């Protein structure tokens, strides 16, 4: 994490330096002069046409300046020419926007605004709300929007609203993002634009194609636009997994007394009484109280991604009437082969007194043979009675998104305008995860992460590549489906009552209807496919290597770069895993069909008037929404029987908002905003039946149909200095007070009362190798209720400038950057000793910095985006370990050379430094620095490079 501080200090000092020198710089450049018939950011005498990335930034500044509330925009450099290869990658340049990347593809997937999770952001396309999910998110039933479903070529502009407006869809406490598709009249001329590239990942070492073609033309009042984009890439990732935290033998053994005891995140006990146990220079108590991971294992995956996108637009535009019909189709496919291999520390003891294989009689756990404890109280070394688990996953995901919208705008008079639109969209996603597991029981193993925590030593005298050493094959298949359908309609009347050049007053009145449906289902074909294993020499189908070759080992020969694995063809073809899933019954405990109908009316007033010789602009609005929910799911009738049930609910919200913008000088702008908005809970928390989140743990989650939305009251204020054309220096402050937070409440119920079949859990992990769970066994039940609060406050700094004042050839340089600081209060982690630690689920600081150079035909750009650590949960599972997502910094770059409008050579690179992304666990009362030890999901994803050409005719 220390690497971030010099960059932060540099960013702050740069802002201060620019602020100090800006008066001189401003004198060196002509000043923009506001005019009534152009955006305030434009100069009346500006004859130079600014293009490329520099032009995109300047258009964004103009849109930001003319807004009354807090709005940032990313604008395409030209029709069909978005600045970055991924829309989400562009958005991370906006202050306060954080990007989460899909490690399997290296692409930006979801965003959060001002630190609030992606579920706090509402995404619309052309003003119509949409939802879509992809990859391993399918079935999670969140309100996230996955940007990786769409090629960037489908969009021409993105607006990010950080303050509420009455005409914006409610639901975004973090903010609202509106994606706008291109239309024919975005360009005055005929446009034919193409791209042809090849993608390469440095870990998979595979080249794959990417290309696009866009055609746009107008004939008088009519226009047509058609576009297509296709991309394929192969990414490989590797590293270390603990899959569920760290625990000590003392704490973990308490769980064997019953699930209501505080036994940490997993059951675990060392066999300290074994005659072979050797503590060396350590004491028994030191060994028993030191921490071990739930697993120490290798992780590697190879993901093949294919994406197809189509966009179309028909447009009619006359003096009074504008009509358009726009459509999008996008399909994203992922095929991932994933292999994990290592020792299962969790549940390694079932009954004391024996060293039998786990699940076959009794087992007294790992035997410390030659162990050490590091400075963070982590136990490592050589252990006896280890059991290696070899898991081979074959995952397939597919999302198909269809969207259509009809829009119309009619000017009754110069002062009265009516706009209306109707929209249909559907996101149909499915995800299969088919697993075959094999084991090596009762062998010696060595675990040593001290040399390389991401690529630790995991070794044994046993040959990992010999299929004859494996036994006990088991299957775990699943099929998840998530279908989102939305029908929306919206109408708005804009009435300009006054506009005399100095004073303006206008009203906006409108309403909308949003009908959203979500259907979730899961199926498990394991037992059907298991019939094919009977009498089969399973391991004769196993290969003595990982299917796509030796994996990266970080320079540590003790890290297993090769081990035996099953080929995809055995699981997917011979066992016909997906056919088995399709034939299986739907898991009714987790299935639901939810409908949400929102009817909204809103009113806005906008004004501008002179004040002390300068212009004051204002906005005030009120939004009313009526939400009705209809939930169809299943309720347990006992003995594994579930009966359908229907529940209805609803709530109303009044959401006021107001903003002011004042031109203190011709270049200095003050802003202030206040308002109220909501974020609705995930439908799993509302409509879910009885869901088993992890088959290895005695836990279930049940839905709460009475769960209300979270409500936020928020305030914003800022100063923006437009000291030169295309330049900005700003500081903004914000505050959000969130009530009715969805908070997890837990209790214990008997297994028999849930009505779940034993197959819903891994019975061996729960201590019942016979496969039958007693009815009186206690299960932890979690339900979400409205009782939490959260307070956020923060500062946002932004700086952008073209360094045209520098001598040639350095006058082509430019910079854009931002810094966001956030303070959160609301959740504390409490240790068993009573220590209280405030947990921030948002990064305390983040920043982005983009340095670019554009001169003649040559352009180069480098962007670095950094976010500090974030807390994952404030719940203490009994081991006093706080989980954090580690700080992350990503460096991306672009180089291009334009021979002509028709031919430009371009190279793009993502994750140039091959950032190590990971989770770590920290003990508030113990030694700090656990980010260098106690890791989980510590991966390297490689660098993705695109090389190709593009042009315009």
């Amino acid at each position: 994490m220390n690497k971030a501080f010099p960059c932060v200090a540099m960013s702050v000092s740069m802002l201060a330096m620019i602020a100090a020198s800006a008066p001189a710089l401003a004198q060196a450049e002509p000043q923009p002069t506001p005019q009534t018939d152009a955006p305030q950011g434009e100069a009346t005498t500006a004859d130079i046409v600014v293009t490329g990335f520099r032009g995109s930034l300047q258009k964004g500044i103009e849109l930001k300046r003319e807004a009354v509330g807090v709005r940032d925009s990313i604008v395409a450099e030209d029709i069909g020419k978005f600045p970055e290869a991924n829309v989400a990658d562009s958005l991370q340049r906006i202050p306060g926007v954080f990007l989460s990347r899909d490690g399997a593809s290296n692409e930006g997937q979801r965003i959060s605004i001002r630190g609030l999770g992606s579920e706090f952001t509402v995404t619309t396309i052309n003003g119509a709300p949409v939802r879509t999910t992809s990859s391993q998110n399918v079935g999670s039933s969140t309100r996230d929007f996955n940007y990786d479903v769409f090629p960037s070529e489908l969009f021409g502009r993105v607006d990010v609203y950080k303050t509420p407006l009455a005409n914006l869809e409610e639901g975004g406490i973090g903010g609202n993002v509106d994606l706008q598709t291109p239309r024919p009249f975005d360009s005055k001329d005929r446009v034919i634009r193409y791209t042809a590239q090849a993608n390469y990942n440095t870990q998979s070492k595979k080249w794959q194609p990417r290309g696009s073609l866009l055609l746009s033309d107008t004939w008088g009042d009519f226009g047509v636009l058609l576009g297509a984009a296709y991309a394929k890439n192969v990414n490989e990732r590797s590293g270390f997994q603990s899959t569920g935290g760290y625990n000590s033998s003392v704490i973990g053994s308490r769980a064997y007394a019953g699930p209501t005891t505080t036994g940490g995140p997993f059951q675990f006990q060392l066999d300290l009484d074994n005659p072979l146990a050797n503590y060396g220079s350590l004491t028994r108590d030191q060994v028993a109280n030191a921490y071990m991971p739930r697993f120490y294992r290798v992780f590697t995956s190879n993901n093949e991604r294919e994406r197809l996108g189509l966009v179309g637009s028909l447009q009619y535009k006359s003096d009074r009437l504008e009509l358009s019909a726009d459509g999008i189709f996008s399909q994203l496919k992922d095929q991932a082969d994933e292999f994990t291999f290592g020792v299962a520390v969790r549940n390694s003891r079932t009954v004391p007194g024996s060293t039998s294989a786990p699940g076959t009689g009794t087992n007294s756990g790992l035997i410390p043979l030659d162990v050490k404890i590091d400075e963070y109280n982590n136990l490592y070394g050589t252990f006896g009675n280890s059991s290696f688990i070899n898991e081979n996953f074959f995952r397939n995901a597919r999302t198909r998104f269809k969207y259509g919208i009809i829009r119309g705008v009619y000017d009754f008079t110069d002062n009265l305008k009516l706009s209306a639109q109707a929209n249909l969209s559907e996101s149909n996603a499915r995800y299969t995860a088919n697993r075959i597991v094999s084991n090596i029981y009762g062998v010696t193993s060595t675990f040593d992460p001290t040399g390389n925590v991401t690529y630790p030593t995991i070794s044994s005298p046993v040959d990992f590549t010999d299929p004859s050493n494996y036994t006990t094959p088991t299957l775990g298949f699943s099929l998840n489906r998530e279908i989102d359908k939305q029908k929306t309609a919206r109408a708005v009347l804009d009435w300009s009552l006054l506009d005399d050049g100095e004073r303006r007053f206008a009203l906006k009145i409108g309403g909308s209807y949003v009908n959203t449906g979500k259907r979730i289902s899961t199926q498990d074909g394991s037992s059907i496919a298991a019939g094919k294993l009977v009498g089969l020499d399973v391991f004769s189908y196993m290969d003595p290597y990982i299917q796509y070759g030796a994996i990266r080992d970080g320079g540590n020969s003790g890290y297993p770069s090769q081990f035996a694995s099953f080929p995809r063809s055995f699981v997917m073809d011979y066992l016909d895993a997906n056919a088995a899933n399709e034939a299986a019954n739907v898991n009714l405990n987790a299935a639901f069909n939810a409908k949400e109908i929102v009817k909204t009316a809103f009113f806005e007033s906008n004004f501008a008037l002179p004040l002390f010789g300068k212009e004051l602009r204002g906005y005030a609005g009120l939004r009313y929404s009526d939400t009705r929910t209809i939930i169809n799911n299943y309720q347990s009738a006992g003995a594994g029987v579930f009966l359908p049930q229907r529940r209805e609910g609803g709530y109303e919200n009044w959401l006021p908002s107001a903003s002011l913008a004042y031109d203190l000088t011709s270049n200095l702008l003050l802003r202030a905003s206040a308002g109220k908005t909501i974020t609705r809970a995930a439908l799993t928390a509302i409509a879910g039946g009885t869901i088993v989140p992890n088959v290895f743990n005695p836990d279930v989650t049940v839905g709460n149909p009475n769960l209300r939305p979270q409500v936020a009251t928020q305030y914003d204020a800022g100063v923006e200095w437009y000291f030169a054309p295309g330049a900005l220096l700003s500081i903004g402050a914000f505050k959000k007070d969130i009530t009715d937070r969805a908070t997890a409440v837990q209790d214990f119920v008997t297994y028999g009362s849930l009505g779940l079949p034993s197959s819903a859990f891994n019975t061996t992990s729960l201590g019942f190798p016979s496969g039958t769970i007693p009815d009186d066994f206690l299960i932890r039940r979690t339900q979400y209720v409205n009782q939490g609060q959260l307070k956020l406050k923060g500062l946002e700094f932004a700086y952008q400038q073209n360094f045209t004042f520098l001598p040639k050839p350095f006058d082509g340089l430019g910079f854009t950057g931002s810094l966001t600081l956030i303070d959160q209060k609301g959740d504390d982690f409490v240790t068993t000793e009573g220590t209280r630690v405030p947990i921030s689920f948002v990064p305390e600081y983040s920043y982005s910095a983009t340095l670019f150079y554009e001169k003649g035909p040559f352009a180069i750009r480098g962007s670095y985006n950094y976010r500090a650590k974030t807390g994952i949960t404030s719940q203490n599972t009994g081991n006093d370990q706080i989980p954090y997502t580690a700080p992350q910094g990503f460096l991306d770059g672009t180089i291009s050379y334009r021979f002509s409008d028709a031919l430009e050579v371009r190279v793009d690179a993502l994750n140039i430094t091959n950032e190590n992304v990971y989770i770590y666990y920290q003990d508030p009362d113990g030694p700090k620095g656990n980010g260098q030890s106690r890791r989980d999901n510590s991966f390297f994803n490689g660098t993705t490079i695109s090389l190709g050409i593009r042009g315009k005719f």
Side-chain angles (χ1 to χ4, degrees):
M1 185 167 64
N2 291 336
K3 69 177 181 179
F5 292 120
C7 296
V8 173
M10 181 181 69
S11 298
V12 174
S13 62
M14 181 175 288
L15 285 171
M17 178 185 69
I18 295 298
S21 62
L25 300 181
Q27 293 176 4
E29 300 243 8
Q31 300 302 302
T33 304
Q35 58 184 20
T36 58
D37 59 350
Q40 293 187 19
E42 295 179 358
T44 57
T45 59
D47 297 322
I48 300 175
V49 178
V50 182
T51 60
F53 183 71
R54 190 192 304 266
S56 173
L57 294 178
Q58 183 164 315
K59 293 173 187 175
I61 277 188
E62 293 168 357
L63 291 169
K64 178 182 181 68
R65 188 172 185 179
E66 70 183 13
V68 178
V70 181
R71 181 184 72 186
D72 292 277
S73 299
I74 303 289
V75 184
E77 299 175 22
D78 195 358
I79 186 169
K81 187 181 178 184
F82 215 74
E84 274 84 11
N86 185 297
V87 173
D89 293 332
S90 290
L91 287 172
Q92 65 186 335
R93 288 192 275 109
I94 291 178
V97 174
F98 313 124
L99 173 68
S100 65
R101 300 196 183 205
D102 174 24
S105 67
N106 247 347
E107 295 184 331
Q109 187 176 60
R110 294 182 300 279
I111 66 165
S112 61
I113 300 176
R114 290 175 167 175
L116 293 170
S118 53
E119 69 273 17
F120 288 90
T121 299
V122 167
T123 300
T124 56
I125 297 179
N126 299 323
V130 291
R131 291 182 191 152
T132 188
T133 188
S134 63
S135 190
Q136 297 185 36
N137 293 118
V138 176
S140 60
S141 189
T142 65
R143 296 182 186 269
D144 292 347
F145 180 88
N146 285 22
Y147 286 83
D148 58 355
V149 173
F150 306 99
S152 62
E153 292 88 346
L154 300 188
F155 303 106
R157 171 175 150 184
V158 182
D159 291 325
V160 179
Y161 298 87
K162 299 176 186 173
T163 55
L165 294 171
N167 75 86
L168 295 177
E169 291 299 320
E170 75 285 344
I173 290 178
N176 289 58
V177 177
D178 185 43
L179 306 171
Q180 298 179 28
T181 56
R183 288 179 288 169
F185 283 97
D186 291 348
S187 176
K188 297 179 181 178
D189 305 314
R190 175 183 300 168
V191 175
I192 303 175
R193 180 173 295 283
Y194 74 93
T195 65
Q197 295 175 290
N199 294 328
Y200 177 80
N201 178 257
T202 56
Q203 290 194 186
S204 71
K205 303 187 185 305
K206 296 289 183 63
W207 288 96
Q208 297 293 331
R210 173 173 183 157
S212 67
L213 179 65
L214 184 140
L215 309 173
S216 178
D217 203 356
T218 59
W219 302 270
D221 294 338
F222 292 92
V224 177
L225 180 146
L226 296 172
Y230 176 83
K232 193 172 183 180
N233 56 45
V234 179
N235 281 60
E236 186 180 315
R237 63 198 314 210
S238 62
F240 168 79
Q241 276 191 325
S242 69
T243 68
Y246 290 70
N247 211 3
S248 72
S249 181
V250 167
I251 297 172
S253 61
R254 296 173 188 162
Y256 293 104
T260 59
T261 59
T262 305
F266 57 91
Q267 296 175 333
F268 160 49
Q269 184 173 358
L270 294 170
D271 185 1
L272 300 176
D273 295 322
N274 193 288
L276 298 177
N278 177 19
Y279 310 134
S281 60
L282 303 172
T283 68
R284 178 189 175 104
D285 284 347
Q286 285 178 312
V287 173
N289 284 283
Y291 282 81
M292 292 194 72
R294 185 171 177 266
F295 277 83
Y296 47 89
R297 75 180 188 184
V298 169
F299 173 95
T300 179
S301 70
N302 190 81
N303 189 79
E304 297 183 10
R305 166 163 288 191
E306 184 179 36
R307 179 173 50 221
L308 171 66
L310 305 173
V311 63
S313 178
L314 299 174
Q315 189 177 11
Y316 170 85
K317 192 172 185 179
S318 66
D319 292 340
R320 290 290 183 186
L321 177 64
E322 179 181 348
L323 298 172
S324 65
D326 306 294
I328 294 175
F329 172 82
S330 188
Q331 178 171 274
L332 180 70
K333 292 182 178 181
D334 284 296
Q335 177 177 297
D337 292 356
E338 177 183 303
F339 303 95
T340 66
F341 178 82
V343 172
V345 176
R346 56 110 176 105
N347 302 307
S348 57
R349 194 220 82 168
T350 304
V351 179
S354 173
T355 57
S356 302
T360 58
T362 60
N363 185 339
S364 50
L366 298 176
I367 306 168
L369 300 178
D370 181 14
V371 295
K372 299 178 180 64
I373 297 176
D374 69 10
E375 59 184 309
Y376 307 118
N377 195 36
N378 294 309
L379 183 68
Y380 66 97
T382 301
F383 300 89
N385 195 36
S386 305
S387 296
F388 281 87
I389 293 183
N390 185 334
E391 293 183 289
N392 302 178
F393 287 89
F394 301 99
R395 307 181 188 273
N396 288 85
R398 187 211 66 204
T399 298
R400 286 178 181 161
F401 179 83
K402 294 180 288 186
Y403 164 97
I405 187 170
I406 299 174
R407 298 179 293 176
V409 180
Y410 183 70
D411 294 335
F412 292 101
T413 68
D414 292 342
N415 300 322
L416 188 63
K417 178 175 68 176
L418 175 66
S419 58
Q421 64 182 48
N423 160 259
L424 293 174
S425 68
E426 177 182 292
S427 173
N428 189 323
R430 56 179 287 147
Y431 166 63
T432 59
N434 300 312
R435 177 183 63 171
I436 182 168
V437 181
S438 53
N439 302 269
I440 303 176
Y441 289 132
V443 298
T444 299
S445 68
T446 297
F447 170 56
D448 186 354
T450 57
N452 190 330
V453 67
T454 300
Y455 295 103
T457 292
I458 303 174
S459 61
S460 173
V462 174
D463 184 1
F464 299 152
T465 64
D466 185 353
S468 67
N469 287 325
Y470 293 88
T471 185
T472 323
T474 56
L475 304 179
F477 294 171
S478 67
L479 163 62
N480 293 341
R481 287 190 174 97
E482 184 167 358
I483 300 174
D484 287 283
K485 294 183 179 181
Q486 291 195 293
K487 305 173 185 177
T488 75
R490 172 184 169 95
V492 181
L493 186 67
D494 288 282
W495 186 13
S496 176
L497 284 82
L498 173 65
D499 188 351
D500 62 7
E502 288 190 349
R503 297 170 179 81
R504 300 190 300 275
F505 183 75
L507 298 177
K508 185 189 294 285
I509 303 170
S512 66
Y513 171 86
V514 178
N515 185 322
T516 300
K518 183 183 284 287
R519 180 159 61 90
I520 294 287
S521 66
T522 64
Q523 292 163 267
D524 183 343
S526 305
S527 59
I528 296 175
K532 294 186 177 183
L533 298 181
V534 178
L536 181 69
D537 183 5
V538 177
F539 296 104
S540 67
Y541 292 85
M542 203 177 202
D543 294 325
Y545 50 80
I546 298 171
Q547 301 302 304
Y548 43 83
I551 60 176
R552 169 183 171 142
D553 62 11
N556 176 25
S557 59
Y559 181 83
S561 297
Q562 281 285 17
F563 47 86
S565 68
F566 287 95
R568 170 176 276 266
S569 59
F570 175 69
V571 172
M572 304 302 291
D573 298 334
Y574 185 85
L575 298 182
D576 206 359
N578 283 341
N581 287 326
E582 295 280 1
N585 294 326
V586 172
N587 298 328
L588 297 180
N589 59 287
F592 67 81
N593 193 335
K595 182 175 287 188
E596 197 172 66
I597 301 172
V598 182
K599 300 175 182 178
T600 302
F602 57 84
F603 169 83
E604 291 183 354
S605 62
N606 292 273
F607 68 87
L609 54 85
L611 181 64
F612 304 118
K614 301 297 180 183
E615 185 177 74
L616 172 68
R617 290 174 290 143
Y619 151 86
L622 179 65
R623 185 178 183 90
Y624 166 78
S625 65
D626 175 84
T627 304
R628 292 291 173 262
T629 57
I630 303 171
I631 297 168
N632 290 284
N633 58 13
Y634 298 85
Q635 183 177 27
S636 171
V641 176
F642 285 83
L643 300 176
Q645 69 171 352
R646 177 185 174 96
R647 302 188 66 170
E648 297 187 15
Y651 46 85
E652 299 176 347
N653 295 101
W654 293 89
L655 305 172
S657 55
S659 298
L660 292 173
Y662 179 61
D663 292 314
L664 192 62
T665 71
S666 59
N667 298 311
L668 194 63
L669 179 65
L670 305 181
R671 292 190 196 277
S673 297
K676 182 176 288 189
T677 188
I678 63 171
T679 286
R680 298 179 173 92
L683 283 171
T684 297
I686 297 174
T690 305
I691 299 169
V692 180
N694 188 328
V695 297
F696 295 102
N697 296 333
D699 297 295
V700 297
T701 300
V702 298
N704 178 5
N706 297 314
L707 197 61
R708 301 186 305 277
Q710 302 177 57
V711 180
T713 303
Q714 55 190 66
Y715 309 91
D716 282 80
V719 182
E720 299 165 9
W721 186 16
Y722 300 87
F723 56 87
L728 168 68
L729 182 64
S730 69
I731 179 173
F734 61 88
K735 185 175 185 292
K736 296 177 185 286
D737 295 332
I738 303 174
T739 59
D740 280 347
R741 287 270 289 167
T743 304
V745 175
Q746 296 180 332
D747 61 1
F748 287 89
V749 297
T750 62
Y751 165 75
S753 68
L754 297 175
L756 294 174
S758 294
S759 60
F761 296 92
N762 184 299
T763 58
T764 301
S765 298
L766 270 56
F768 306 104
S770 66
T772 301
I773 304 174
D775 283 346
D776 60 355
F777 181 72
L778 294 179
I779 301 288
R780 183 186 289 110
R781 179 176 61 182
T782 299
Q783 187 176 50
Y784 287 89
V785 299
N786 295 104
Q787 66 178 29
Q789 295 186 350
L790 185 67
K791 294 182 182 294
L792 284 174
K793 58 183 178 182
L795 295 172
E796 290 177 347
F797 303 87
Y799 165 62
Q800 179 176 311
Q801 188 174 12
N802 301 312
F803 300 147
T804 53
F805 55 87
L806 294 175
K808 295 181 179 181
F810 303 105
D811 55 343
L813 283 169
F815 178 85
T816 179
S818 66
L819 170 67
T820 303
L821 308 174
I822 299 177
D823 177 62
Q824 174 191 299
K825 289 182 174 60
D827 287 293
D828 288 349
F829 182 94
V830 183
T831 69
T832 53
E833 298 296 325
T835 303
R836 302 187 71 89
V837 182
I839 301 299
S840 178
F841 301 117
V842 302
E844 293 182 354
Y845 64 93
S846 66
Y847 62 87
S848 69
T850 299
L851 184 65
F852 60 91
Y853 179 87
E854 288 186 341
K855 190 74 172 178
F858 179 72
I860 184 170
R861 180 167 79 246
S863 297
Y864 185 74
N865 296 274
Y866 180 88
R867 55 180 293 174
K869 70 175 184 180
T870 56
I872 296 175
T873 179
S874 60
Q875 181 182 356
N876 188 349
T877 58
N879 63 347
D880 290 338
Q881 298 292 299
I882 305 175
Y884 290 101
T885 297
Q888 298 177 5
F890 291 93
L891 178 63
D892 306 321
T894 297
I895 300 176
S896 65
Y897 189 88
R898 184 173 58 85
F899 292 93
S900 66
D901 287 345
L903 179 61
E904 176 184 311
V905 178
R906 180 182 174 107
V907 180
D908 296 282
L910 294 175
N911 193 19
I912 294 173
T913 58
N914 193 14
E915 178 75 354
N916 184 196
V917 295
Y918 60 92
I919 293 169
Y920 69 96
Y921 299 83
Q922 185 166 299
D923 182 354
D925 293 327
K928 298 297 185 281
N930 299 126
Q932 301 307 315
S933 60
R934 296 188 194 163
R935 289 200 184 183
D936 194 1
N937 293 336
S938 184
F939 302 145
F940 286 92
N941 302 316
T943 300
T944 299
I945 301 170
S946 296
L947 172 65
I949 59 174
R950 66 180 185 177
K952 171 184 176 183
F953 299 98

